[in-house]
Amino acid sequence: MANIVKTESGIDLLQRFSVRPKLIGLQVEVFGEDGPLPGDVIEINEKDTNLKTILLTQWIIKCILPATWKGVQIGGLEVGVVFLSTDHHFSSLNLVTLLERKLKRTLRQCQQLLPSSGLTMMKEITKDSLRRLSLYESFCKTELLFNFCSTKTFILSHSQSSVVIVDSLSAYYWEDRLSASTIQSLEKYCQSLLQCLIEKLKQTNITIIYTVQQFLREVHERERSDAPLFIYSLSIENQPQSVIHVENRRTASKFSKKIESFKGDLLLK
């Protein structure tokens, strides 16, 4: 039997030993005090709501804001985010509006700041934060796969980037299904795309967050599918109040949280 020799490039070696910023405190109600961990895969799906994009925007703001700024506690994670947009529900203008609103509330509590200096600081922090967000848009599966490659190149050269978000993996399902020679279930279609992205980003310790449209997925597809690739699965639905159901495969636990909106933020209780 021939011996199989695995080779590793210098870039792969550096990636294995590189330390990226962690996402500790991203959403304590879901991931606990120490999560999510580097390399975790998180699925978000929703039914009869439009909250997934709001939640993603809230997480992006938490990620890209600095922890402190000129001695003032801001409370961000100060990590880079790569956002791959396929259904184009994400709005950069809305993100800036919510980010500035959050900064105003934070800086208002700082007694030593004058109104004029607070406004200047808010502009500085906003500009600094947006440097940590990279947005890629695609309009078909081919472009999405190309952006997977671009994302890998970007991640390798930006050690401060810790999370890749895809919204959503199911965007081109029906378009591809009509042109395909064989019929593939939504579950297998999304798993195939996710596996491709994971393969591109292996050994980078990048946390991957992706969304799927729940109304396209049949219940029996999920039940009969192979072992899922995600660590966390978040399902958002109205019943009649907005609720998020969380599955944690690492601890084999499931729980639910009520969702409330307060000043543009989603609160989980």
Side-chain angles (χ1 to χ4, degrees), residues 210-226:
Y210 70 96
T211 67
V212 176
Q213 290 293 346
Q214 180 67 23
F215 72 91
L216 292 174
R217 171 190 277 160
E218 298 293 339
V219 176
H220 68 272
E221 287 185 6
R222 185 64 174 270
E223 292 176 346
R224 297 176 183 174
S225 63
D226 297 331

Side-chain angles (χ1 to χ4, degrees), residues 1-241:
M1 182 182 294
N3 292 327
I4 299 176
V5 179
K6 293 184 178 181
T7 60
E8 182 177 42
S9 68
I11 293 179
D12 290 335
L13 178 63
L14 290 175
Q15 284 302 311
R16 285 201 296 112
F17 288 101
S18 65
V19 178
R20 296 182 182 275
K22 296 183 179 180
L23 301 178
I24 295 175
L26 177 63
Q27 189 80 58
V28 176
E29 299 84 353
V30 174
F31 308 112
E33 297 288 345
D34 301 323
L37 300 180
D40 277 357
V41 178
I42 303 164
E43 177 188 274
I44 303 177
N45 60 76
E46 65 178 355
K47 184 178 182 180
D48 302 327
T49 78
N50 59 350
L51 298 179
K52 69 174 178 62
T53 303
I54 300 176
L55 182 62
L56 287 177
T57 302
Q58 188 169 303
W59 285 357
I60 292 172
I61 291 173
K62 176 75 172 180
C63 285
I64 64 178
L65 279 173
T68 60
W69 188 267
K70 296 181 178 179
V72 178
Q73 192 72 26
I74 304 300
L77 301 180
E78 207 164 333
V79 303
V81 176
V82 178
F83 190 93
L84 305 178
S85 176
T86 61
D87 60 15
H88 313 292
H89 292 164
F90 174 77
S91 169
S92 300
L93 179 60
N94 184 54
L95 178 136
V96 173
T97 300
L98 295 176
L99 187 148
E100 291 181 341
R101 185 183 302 169
K102 182 178 180 65
L103 283 174
K104 285 179 182 178
R105 293 200 300 265
T106 302
L107 297 178
R108 196 179 293 131
Q109 298 173 0
C110 190
Q111 301 295 332
Q112 70 267 27
L113 287 178
L114 298 174
S116 57
S117 60
L119 182 61
T120 301
M121 182 177 290
M122 185 182 71
K123 292 180 179 178
E124 291 175 350
I125 297 174
T126 300
K127 185 176 180 180
D128 175 74
S129 299
L130 292 177
R131 290 195 183 101
R132 299 188 190 93
L133 175 61
S134 300
L135 178 61
Y136 292 83
E137 291 192 332
S138 59
F139 297 88
C140 66
K141 181 181 176 181
T142 302
E143 290 184 5
L144 178 60
L145 293 175
F146 179 81
N147 283 337
F148 284 176
C149 297
S150 300
T151 298
K152 177 183 178 180
T153 303
F154 182 89
I155 291 296
L156 290 176
S157 58
H158 292 77
S159 60
Q160 292 300 305
S161 295
S162 295
V163 58
V164 172
I165 302 174
V166 186
D167 186 27
S168 67
L169 281 181
S170 57
Y172 311 122
Y173 173 66
W174 287 107
E175 177 184 337
D176 291 345
R177 180 165 174 169
L178 289 173
S179 59
S181 57
T182 58
I183 298 178
Q184 190 178 38
S185 69
L186 174 67
E187 194 69 30
K188 290 183 178 180
Y189 178 85
C190 293
Q191 289 282 300
S192 175
L193 285 174
L194 180 59
Q195 185 63 61
C196 179
L197 179 59
I198 292 174
E199 184 65 24
K200 295 290 184 186
L201 300 179
K202 66 180 180 180
Q203 297 182 339
T204 61
N205 287 326
I206 290 292
T207 297
I208 297 175
I209 303 173
Y210 70 96
T211 67
V212 176
Q213 290 293 346
Q214 180 67 23
F215 72 91
L216 292 174
R217 171 190 277 160
E218 298 293 339
V219 176
H220 68 272
E221 287 185 6
R222 185 64 174 270
E223 292 176 346
R224 297 176 183 174
S225 63
D226 297 331
L229 299 171
F230 61 78
I231 298 298
Y232 295 94
S233 176
L234 282 59
S235 301
I236 306 173
E237 62 179 26
N238 286 324
Q239 54 172 21
Q241 185 179 6

